[in-house]
Amino acid sequence: MEKTFAIIKPDAVERRITGKIISKIEESGFNIVAMKKIWLTKKEAEGFYAVHKGKPFFESLINYMSSGPCIAMVLEKENAIADWRKLMGATNPANAEAGTIRKEFAIDVEKNSVHGSDAVDTAKYEISYFFSNLEFCE
């Protein structure tokens, strides 16, 4: 079984749609093996998104991701990374396919409701950034 990392972002938590998003995750066959509500500090957000440092959207992203609570999760299933990315939809909700989380719930490119790992190495890093092995319920 493959694991991937997912975040329900502050805009979705603020709008109280986390339950709807979690339902879509479970209905798509994912097993949530770890989950917690967190509120990132700017420093924690900078560390998590360090790969984007120097890009024009970095400061805005850090401010947004530290603006309110998030739900961090580890999802598991066969082909979890690819399947989660497909369920999320395109980063820009205007380009997302019908039925995807971003098409249904995103406000804009930044406030697009969810984040997900894009590769095996990224998933391992992102999972370990937020979770210890003791927090997994497999």
Side-chain angles (χ1 to χ4, degrees):
M1 287 290 196
E2 186 175 69
K3 289 180 179 67
T4 192
F5 179 73
I7 292 179
I8 300 176
K9 293 181 176 182
D11 68 278
V13 174
E14 180 181 356
R15 291 182 287 138
R16 299 176 187 250
I17 57 172
T18 57
K20 292 177 182 179
I21 293 171
I22 290 168
S23 289
K24 286 186 78 71
I25 290 167
E26 291 181 326
E27 288 165 6
S28 296
F30 289 94
N31 184 25
I32 301 170
V33 297
M35 180 168 62
K36 60 184 166 184
K37 192 172 196 176
I38 56 173
W39 192 325
L40 295 172
T41 65
K42 284 190 178 185
K43 186 175 181 176
E44 289 166 337
E46 286 172 355
F48 182 69
Y49 287 106
V51 67
H52 298 301
K53 192 168 183 132
K55 294 180 180 172
F57 60 85
F58 182 73
E59 285 302 317
S60 178
L61 175 63
I62 297 314
N63 289 333
Y64 163 60
M65 288 302 293
S66 61
S67 69
C70 299
I71 306 294
M73 298 175 285
V74 179
L75 309 178
E76 182 180 69
K77 75 180 275 198
E78 293 294 328
N79 302 307
I81 295 168
D83 287 358
W84 174 234
R85 295 197 62 80
K86 183 175 181 175
L87 180 60
M88 284 192 308
T91 302
N92 184 341
N95 301 330
E97 290 183 29
T100 63
I101 291 170
R102 289 176 174 157
K103 189 65 166 185
E104 289 186 35
F105 302 116
I107 295 171
D108 57 36
V109 173
E110 184 175 73
K111 294 178 180 170
N112 60 13
S113 300
V114 289
H115 162 89
S117 304
D118 61 2
V120 172
D121 289 343
T122 309
K124 286 179 183 175
Y125 168 77
E126 292 180 343
I127 289 167
S128 69
Y129 195 86
F130 290 102
F131 293 95
S132 75
N133 287 336
L134 295 173
E135 295 175 287
F136 285 72
C137 298
E138 299 180 73

